Amino acid sequence: MTISESTASAPAPSAPALTDLRRRLGQVSDLHAAESLLSWEQETMMPQEAARVRGLQLSTLAGLAHELFTDPRTGELLAQAQPEDEADRAVVRVAQRDYDKATRLPTSFVEERSRAQNEAHHAWLDARQRSDFAAFAPHLSTMMDFARREADLLGYEEHPYDALLDSYEPGMRVSQVRSVFADLRDRTLPLLRRITAAGDAADYSVLTRPFPGEAQKAFAWRVAGEAFGLKSSFARQDESAHPFQSNFSRSDIRITTRVEEYWPACLFGTWHEAGHAMYERGVHELWERTPVSRGASLGVHESQSRMFENLLGRSRPFWGRYFSELQGAAPEVTAGLDAETLYRAVNRVKPSLIRVEADEVTYNFHIMLRFELELGLLDGTLKVAELPEAWNAKMQEYLGLTPPSDAQGVLQDIHWSAGLIGYFPTYSLGNLLSVQLLEAARQDTAVAAGLQEAHYGPLLAWLAQHIHQHGRSLTPGELTERATGRPLSADPYVAYLHEKYGAIYGLE
Amino acid sequence: MTISESTASAPAPSAPALTDLRRRLGQVSDLHAAESLLSWEQETMMPQEAARVRGLQLSTLAGLAHELFTDPRTGELLAQAQPEDEADRAVVRVAQRDYDKATRLPTSFVEERSRAQNEAHHAWLDARQRSDFAAFAPHLSTMMDFARREADLLGYEEHPYDALLDSYEPGMRVSQVRSVFADLRDRTLPLLRRITAAGDAADYSVLTRPFPGEAQKAFAWRVAGEAFGLKSSFARQDESAHPFQSNFSRSDIRITTRVEEYWPACLFGTWHEAGHAMYERGVHELWERTPVSRGASLGVHESQSRMFENLLGRSRPFWGRYFSELQGAAPEVTAGLDAETLYRAVNRVKPSLIRVEADEVTYNFHIMLRFELELGLLDGTLKVAELPEAWNAKMQEYLGLTPPSDAQGVLQDIHWSAGLIGYFPTYSLGNLLSVQLLEAARQDTAVAAGLQEAHYGPLLAWLAQHIHQHGRSLTPGELTERATGRPLSADPYVAYLHEKYGAIYGLE
């Protein structure tokens, strides 16, 4: 009796360690899912008086998830676990990477930063409303201090920004972003000049013709199901002030949208979120309730959302197929129009001050500008006080515009107030990757034939196979190389812009 | 340096223990709130494929809450905490009571029972559908075994059933329920006989006249706000298969309803849930995120829901005030009617087979029957195999009906399949208490004047002061004595039935 008890308390063999690890990761995943559900509900339907206690509940869930994951026992289980197949090896590898990152930041640092972020966020909301950059400046300085300290704590080889970028785009380096962005800038700025010189390619007043809100949402959702496979058996659509995608498992997905007079915001916004949703839907169920069960990076995620929104949703075959459905859903919008004129209208190129309203040609300039300024702020070559002036100079250089106020300039985005430094480049990396992936997929004849008819079944299958199913088991770099045969490049995107907009704007 | 560190690790004084205790209880409360929110969302809007993982998430939240609460550290903090005011004393008292109960059930018992409950629940669903009691019988035997073991683990003085009843109705004893129920039965059975002999008191076909679902919900919700104070700033209404109330804080309340051809189900069901909701809303905010912040018992809760649903919602002054609004909301229902005929129609008394469809006079017989059978099953004087026969005999004795099938008899309720033994009596205790409370409140002249006009502001204030605000800081017995000056009695309810239904059915 004594002997068997002593045996029972000896170090556990590897299989139980793996079982215990997956159980623990499952609990952490469940806590994060609950947190996401409470957040989604807060943004879509929560009664207003519930906000204060909801904040405490969210904080408890986040705190308990962090505590459970960074507990030394997680480290022991990671060290003891002996995975026997590729799926479990990926779980241990990804969890170990997350554990190392999470435990490198002391709790005191995380708590201090969380308080500072909260203050910075409220200061930003107020400063933006009053267009008063000076009121936000000290908070931005604090956020940049935290970013530098975080980079030091996480460690880096070439540039402190690499440590931050790695959280959003694992394995990506500043040097690579710089080179790709320089190429992109040099080859699209001349195109933009020629487009703006060419003048209007359509009557853009159709974009604000009457389209009742409920009809906008219903049309957008129906097409998201029919074209992109987003079904109500595993997903639902609600309204929120800022559209987002969220999910609590691969069969429990939410997207939000908003309704505006400018109706393309609802349609293309819905299809954008559908791209994110179908990525999360496609991750292999082997990785359910593990840290592998998410998109590989923000950039890869954005490649999926931008593909649905722009490469498909703003394509000529798409409107060839769905124009008649739009006629049924929005007779006032489509009166006197045909598919071709609608196609031209929704592909308007026009330099503008606000990133989230930018078109396919100008969008990346908004990102390059932010990337360059972030680098300067982080390495100290740009002072916070000089930021508005630097912002406005770059806006003039890239888009020929000067913001009439900081609210429409340097204060427009939430990211810096939340301490999200290194996040912006992923939007453009996603744009570039979207075309590179679509070009690779098009090598498959079924995919290519489907694209011509706006039948996306074969493309969805290709994406599921080459991108979605892998979750975080492959890095963005590995995914890109395997799916397209080469590293990320600006070439496909530049060629796409030239071909599409050369035709629309009649450039030789 | 060494000295101050040693000082810092000395036993903490009492104030920190109380602070730590409240922090821990807050986390437990947050986990329960998250669990409730995930459950509410599951019943109202979750995509169907999400069910399996949602079950795992709910289980994790429940498990972590239980682990955190029953951790020995909670016991230490309870022992060390030195509360300095009445509010904190109540927190420690109620938490200690819960802790003692929770730690008296071994984890292995809870886990075994949870698995058995799950099996019994599925067996019951299947057995009910096929009306096959024999298929459910072994599971019911198992549930009764668990109930007996639970009673032994929890301990009791007079009767094992007391240990179970105490979980739903703290301090209540079988002996008291028996005595109150016998009194109730002896004094309402003759009334019921006279009512059924009297024949119809109205044209009941109005109860299924056309009333579109959306209009039903909107009318019920608007009146819940106007009459009973349930506002969208802290509550919302959704649809679910079985109506319920749930809340995640006193400012974050949900009720559900369902739409049927028999439109009173939606209206009175909504006002029933509004009664539960306003109770939770009224608990003093001092007890936010503590175990005191809930209704005192199921019986007291039911007294509030039944008061809104029946004593107010089915009263003559109520329809005097709201009939014209119903005319606007449901012109087809009210065509050719006046307030008085509607009042009589919604107060139909008719013995029926199904508890949840029963009226104010017959409802309690459904409960007495279940209570008597539960007692027999628990103490072994009734065998599970004999249950259908015993059920049918009592249905004949009380209501003069014999179920054509077990699905409409002994298999109709979910409770026993979920191991909820000792729960049923609280429905009738709530009915009795509702009238006893309303009679006490009516001693206040403002309340009495308001009741005449269906202006319930003064009554709501009285309930908030005498019942709601106290949460679980007083036991049901203490609440009843303080609010009404005497223990729970059948007298007020019996008198209420005689007066109301004597008039409607023109007796003597």
Side-chain angles (χ1 to χ4, degrees):
Chain A
M1 192 64 177
T2 311
I3 291 169
S4 59
E5 274 184 358
S6 144
T7 307
S9 64
S14 64
L18 186 63
T19 305
D20 285 359
L21 177 68
R22 286 204 66 150
R23 181 167 174 275
R24 176 172 285 242
L25 296 176
Q27 291 179 321
V28 172
S29 163
D30 291 339
L31 286 167
H32 284 309
E35 191 190 348
S36 298
L37 201 152
L38 267 64
S39 293
W40 161 77
E41 208 270 350
Q42 178 175 43
E43 301 303 322
T44 52
M45 60 186 81
M46 184 186 76
Q48 68 194 41
E49 288 182 36
R52 188 180 50 79
V53 177
R54 181 65 61 89
L56 298 172
Q57 292 161 346
L58 286 166
S59 164
T60 289
L61 293 169
L64 290 176
H66 181 77
E67 223 172 84
L68 192 59
F69 183 64
T70 59
D71 187 281
R73 181 73 189 137
T74 308
E76 290 166 22
L77 291 172
L78 282 165
Q80 290 164 11
Q82 296 187 2
E84 286 173 4
D85 60 24
E86 190 42 53
D88 282 334
R89 268 192 290 278
V91 171
V92 173
R93 188 171 65 242
V94 171
Q96 184 75 57
R97 196 166 73 205
D98 290 351
Y99 181 78
D100 292 342
K101 276 211 156 188
T103 53
R104 235 171 268 166
L105 303 181
T107 306
S108 60
F109 174 84
V110 174
E111 289 176 353
E112 269 176 60
R113 185 178 58 178
S114 171
R115 277 192 294 276
Q117 280 167 343
N118 193 43
E119 285 170 26
H121 179 66
H122 285 95
W124 168 73
L125 283 173
D126 187 54
R128 186 181 60 164
Q129 198 180 8
R130 295 183 294 113
S131 198
D132 177 5
F133 179 77
F136 177 58
H139 295 277
L140 181 55
S141 296
T142 303
M143 285 297 107
M144 296 311 301
D145 287 342
F146 276 108
R148 276 184 288 266
R149 283 171 60 196
E150 182 179 355
D152 289 342
L153 287 164
L154 293 175
Y156 53 88
E157 287 175 20
E158 296 175 6
H159 194 290
Y161 193 93
D162 287 340
L164 308 175
L165 182 58
D166 189 77
S167 298
Y168 310 111
E169 202 62 28
M172 183 58 67
R173 296 277 174 98
V174 165
S175 52
Q176 193 185 350
V177 177
R178 270 198 175 117
S179 141
V180 170
F181 278 11
D183 189 24
L184 179 66
R185 182 186 57 226
D186 294 345
R187 293 160 70 193
T188 51
L189 210 43
L191 174 68
L192 176 60
R193 304 271 181 267
R194 293 169 64 205
I195 290 171
T196 45
D200 288 354
D203 170 10
Y204 300 114
S205 70
V206 304
L207 305 178
T208 50
R209 285 188 184 172
F211 195 162
E214 288 306 312
Q216 286 184 34
K217 284 193 294 179
F219 175 77
W221 177 252
R222 192 159 43 77
V223 173
E226 199 177 316
F228 305 129
L230 189 65
K231 304 292 185 188
S232 58
S233 59
F234 61 84
R236 56 175 278 143
Q237 173 199 46
D238 293 274
E239 273 187 78
S240 67
H242 302 281
F244 63 92
Q245 180 268 339
S246 184
N247 66 301
F248 325 126
S249 75
R250 64 189 291 280
S251 301
D252 201 355
I253 299 178
R254 313 304 159 97
I255 65 168
T256 72
T257 188
R258 68 179 158 200
V259 161
E260 293 178 19
E261 186 190 10
Y262 175 75
W263 54 262
C266 177
L267 273 53
F268 296 101
T270 297
W271 302 333
H272 179 100
E273 303 307 336
H276 289 304
M278 292 305 291
Y279 189 178
E280 294 287 319
R281 169 67 178 172
V283 177
H284 202 292
E285 58 190 356
L286 273 173
W287 288 309
E288 180 180 287
R289 298 170 72 237
T290 78
V292 184
S293 190
R294 287 208 313 275
S297 72
L298 294 183
V300 181
H301 241 299
E302 198 72 5
S303 76
Q304 303 304 295
S305 56
R306 296 298 247 176
M307 188 185 293
F308 284 20
E309 173 191 0
N310 287 336
L311 310 191
L312 309 181
R314 285 188 161 92
S315 71
R316 189 177 271 118
F318 181 93
W319 288 108
R321 175 159 177 199
Y322 288 104
F323 185 75
S324 62
E325 290 200 28
L326 183 66
Q327 286 179 308
E332 289 192 79
V333 169
T334 50
L337 287 189
D338 60 16
E340 178 63 22
T341 50
L342 186 83
Y343 166 72
R344 285 165 169 262
V346 299
N347 281 294
R348 179 186 206 179
V349 175
K350 184 176 167 62
S352 66
L353 293 166
I354 306 298
R355 174 182 62 86
V356 298
E357 296 170 3
D359 57 74
E360 287 183 289
V361 180
T362 58
Y363 189 93
N364 296 311
F365 293 105
H366 291 270
I367 297 304
M368 291 185 240
L369 172 161
R370 286 158 176 77
F371 172 65
E372 292 157 20
L373 297 177
E374 276 185 344
L375 281 177
L377 290 170
L378 195 72
D379 67 21
T381 55
L382 175 64
K383 298 206 180 341
V384 166
E386 302 162 352
L387 182 62
E389 197 183 333
W391 178 288
N392 294 350
K394 282 201 187 287
M395 275 303 285
Q396 189 60 50
E397 176 190 351
Y398 289 154
L399 299 178
L401 300 170
T402 297
S405 73
D406 287 340
Q408 291 172 272
V410 67
L411 287 173
Q412 70 184 260
D413 292 308
I414 193 177
H415 302 62
W416 290 340
S417 81
L420 300 171
I421 317 295
Y423 186 121
F424 280 122
T426 67
Y427 291 116
S428 282
L429 298 175
N431 285 338
L432 302 188
L433 183 58
S434 69
V435 180
Q436 188 165 332
L437 286 173
L438 192 62
E439 291 313 307
R442 207 190 290 275
Q443 303 308 308
D444 179 306
T445 53
V447 172
L451 288 172
Q452 290 303 319
E453 307 290 325
H455 282 291
Y456 302 124
L459 173 64
L460 289 170
W462 190 94
L463 291 170
Q465 186 192 340
H466 291 85
I467 303 294
H468 300 174
Q469 66 163 337
H470 301 294
R472 295 174 72 207
S473 71
L474 298 175
T475 66
E478 288 167 342
L479 278 173
T480 305
E481 292 260 6
R482 290 195 192 190
T484 73
R486 54 173 176 160
L488 184 68
S489 154
D491 291 348
Y493 196 78
V494 169
Y496 162 76
L497 291 185
H498 276 85
E499 185 184 334
K500 175 174 181 177
Y501 291 97
I504 290 175
Y505 283 92
L507 311 176
E508 82 245 60
Chain B
M1 194 58 177
T2 313
I3 290 168
S4 60
E5 275 185 355
S6 143
T7 306
S9 64
S14 65
L18 187 63
T19 306
D20 285 359
L21 177 68
R22 286 203 66 149
R23 180 169 175 276
R24 177 173 284 242
L25 295 176
Q27 291 179 321
V28 173
S29 163
D30 292 339
L31 286 168
H32 285 308
E35 191 191 346
S36 297
L37 202 152
L38 267 63
S39 292
W40 160 78
E41 208 270 348
Q42 179 175 42
E43 300 305 321
T44 52
M45 59 187 81
M46 183 186 77
Q48 66 193 47
E49 288 183 35
R52 189 179 51 79
V53 176
R54 180 64 61 89
L56 299 172
Q57 292 161 346
L58 286 167
S59 164
T60 289
L61 292 169
L64 291 175
H66 181 76
E67 223 172 86
L68 193 58
F69 183 63
T70 58
D71 188 282
R73 180 75 188 136
T74 307
E76 289 167 23
L77 291 171
L78 282 166
Q80 290 163 13
Q82 296 188 0
E84 286 174 4
D85 60 23
E86 192 39 54
D88 281 335
R89 268 192 290 278
V91 171
V92 173
R93 189 171 63 242
V94 171
Q96 183 75 59
R97 198 166 69 204
D98 290 351
Y99 181 77
D100 291 343
K101 276 210 155 190
T103 52
R104 234 171 269 165
L105 303 181
T107 306
S108 60
F109 175 83
V110 174
E111 289 175 353
E112 268 176 61
R113 186 179 55 178
S114 171
R115 275 192 294 275
Q117 281 166 342
N118 193 43
E119 284 169 28
H121 178 68
H122 285 95
W124 167 73
L125 284 173
D126 188 51
R128 186 181 59 163
Q129 199 179 8
R130 295 184 293 113
S131 197
D132 178 3
F133 179 78
F136 177 57
H139 297 277
L140 181 55
S141 297
T142 304
M143 285 297 107
M144 295 311 301
D145 286 341
F146 276 108
R148 276 185 287 267
R149 283 170 61 195
E150 182 179 357
D152 289 340
L153 288 163
L154 293 175
Y156 54 87
E157 288 174 21
E158 297 175 5
H159 193 289
Y161 193 92
D162 287 340
L164 308 175
L165 182 58
D166 189 77
S167 299
Y168 310 110
E169 203 63 28
M172 183 59 69
R173 296 275 173 100
V174 164
S175 51
Q176 194 184 350
V177 177
R178 271 200 175 118
S179 141
V180 170
F181 278 11
D183 190 26
L184 179 66
R185 181 186 57 227
D186 295 345
R187 293 160 70 193
T188 50
L189 210 42
L191 174 68
L192 177 58
R193 302 272 180 267
R194 293 169 66 205
I195 291 172
T196 45
D200 287 354
D203 171 9
Y204 301 114
S205 70
V206 304
L207 304 178
T208 49
R209 285 189 184 171
F211 195 163
E214 288 306 311
Q216 287 185 31
K217 284 193 294 178
F219 175 77
W221 178 251
R222 191 157 45 73
V223 173
E226 201 177 315
F228 305 129
L230 189 65
K231 304 290 185 187
S232 59
S233 59
F234 61 85
R236 60 174 277 143
Q237 174 200 44
D238 292 275
E239 273 187 76
S240 67
H242 303 280
F244 62 92
Q245 180 269 340
S246 184
N247 67 298
F248 325 128
S249 75
R250 65 188 290 281
S251 303
D252 201 354
I253 299 178
R254 313 305 159 95
I255 64 168
T256 70
T257 189
R258 67 178 159 199
V259 161
E260 293 177 18
E261 187 192 8
Y262 176 75
W263 53 262
C266 176
L267 273 54
F268 295 101
T270 298
W271 304 332
H272 179 99
E273 303 308 336
H276 288 305
M278 292 306 291
Y279 189 1
E280 295 287 318
R281 169 68 178 171
V283 178
H284 202 293
E285 59 191 354
L286 273 172
W287 288 309
E288 180 179 288
R289 297 170 74 237
T290 78
V292 185
S293 190
R294 287 209 313 276
S297 72
L298 293 184
V300 182
H301 240 300
E302 197 72 5
S303 76
Q304 303 304 294
S305 56
R306 295 298 246 178
M307 189 185 292
F308 286 20
E309 174 191 1
N310 287 335
L311 310 190
L312 309 181
R314 284 190 162 91
S315 70
R316 188 178 270 120
F318 182 92
W319 287 107
R321 176 158 177 200
Y322 288 105
F323 185 74
S324 63
E325 290 201 29
L326 183 66
Q327 287 179 307
E332 288 192 79
V333 169
T334 52
L337 288 189
D338 58 16
E340 178 63 22
T341 50
L342 187 82
Y343 165 72
R344 286 164 168 263
V346 300
N347 282 294
R348 178 186 208 180
V349 176
K350 185 177 167 58
S352 65
L353 294 166
I354 306 298
R355 174 182 61 86
V356 299
E357 295 170 2
D359 56 75
E360 287 184 287
V361 179
T362 58
Y363 189 92
N364 296 311
F365 292 105
H366 291 270
I367 298 304
M368 290 184 241
L369 173 160
R370 287 158 176 77
F371 171 65
E372 291 157 23
L373 298 176
E374 276 186 345
L375 281 176
L377 290 171
L378 195 70
D379 66 22
T381 56
L382 176 66
K383 300 209 179 341
V384 166
E386 302 161 353
L387 183 62
E389 197 183 331
W391 177 289
N392 293 351
K394 282 201 189 287
M395 276 302 285
Q396 189 61 48
E397 176 190 349
Y398 289 153
L399 299 177
L401 299 171
T402 297
S405 71
D406 287 340
Q408 289 171 274
V410 67
L411 287 173
Q412 70 184 263
D413 293 307
I414 192 176
H415 301 62
W416 291 340
S417 81
L420 301 171
I421 315 296
Y423 186 119
F424 280 123
T426 67
Y427 290 116
S428 282
L429 298 175
N431 285 337
L432 302 187
L433 184 58
S434 69
V435 180
Q436 188 165 331
L437 286 173
L438 193 63
E439 292 313 305
R442 207 190 290 276
Q443 304 307 309
D444 180 308
T445 53
V447 172
L451 288 172
Q452 290 303 319
E453 307 290 324
H455 282 291
Y456 302 124
L459 174 65
L460 290 170
W462 190 94
L463 291 171
Q465 187 194 336
H466 291 85
I467 304 293
H468 301 173
Q469 67 164 336
H470 301 294
R472 295 174 72 208
S473 71
L474 298 176
T475 65
E478 289 167 342
L479 278 171
T480 304
E481 292 261 7
R482 290 197 192 189
T484 73
R486 55 174 176 159
L488 183 68
S489 155
D491 292 348
Y493 194 77
V494 170
Y496 162 76
L497 291 187
H498 277 84
E499 185 185 334
K500 177 173 179 178
Y501 291 97
I504 290 176
Y505 282 92
L507 308 180
E508 99 240 63

